[in-house]
Amino acid sequence: MKCTADTAQFYRMVYPDKIMEGYHCSKVQKPYWNTIYLDDFPEKELYNMIDFAYDTVLYGFSKKVQKQILEEAGK
């Protein structure tokens, strides 16, 4: 799950048995990605993390691309 480095570290501290650095990433990208083990993971928290990941990626694009994506999504 994509996030900011600070947010990723926060989640790893709060859920040390469920969240760890993204195993699929290069060393440079690891601070920004988390791997989540979903067994008994709080559903509401997962949805919050998905929303945050979406926003993190969306607002990393240029304003023009953001506008296109939001228009296509009907927002």
Side-chain angles (χ1 to χ4, degrees):
M1 186 89 50
K2 176 84 172 171
C3 40
T4 63
D6 291 338
T7 304
Q9 184 61 33
F10 169 78
Y11 279 121
R12 289 181 210 134
M13 288 176 13
V14 173
Y15 300 102
D17 296 335
K18 298 290 180 184
I19 298 179
M20 61 181 53
E21 284 183 332
Y23 70 90
H24 64 289
C25 303
S26 68
K27 192 173 189 176
V28 174
Q29 289 295 318
K30 283 188 182 285
Y32 303 98
W33 288 87
N34 281 336
T35 296
I36 304 166
Y37 294 97
L38 298 175
D39 293 341
D40 301 322
F41 193 79
E43 188 174 310
K44 183 176 180 182
E45 193 64 53
L46 179 63
Y47 290 136
N48 288 336
M49 291 174 76
I50 291 169
D51 287 343
F52 188 81
Y54 179 88
D55 290 343
T56 300
V57 172
L58 177 66
Y59 295 111
F61 292 124
S62 68
K63 296 286 183 191
K64 179 180 177 181
V65 173
Q66 288 176 34
K67 183 179 176 184
Q68 289 173 328
I69 291 170
L70 293 172
E71 285 174 356
E72 289 178 17
K75 294 183 179 185

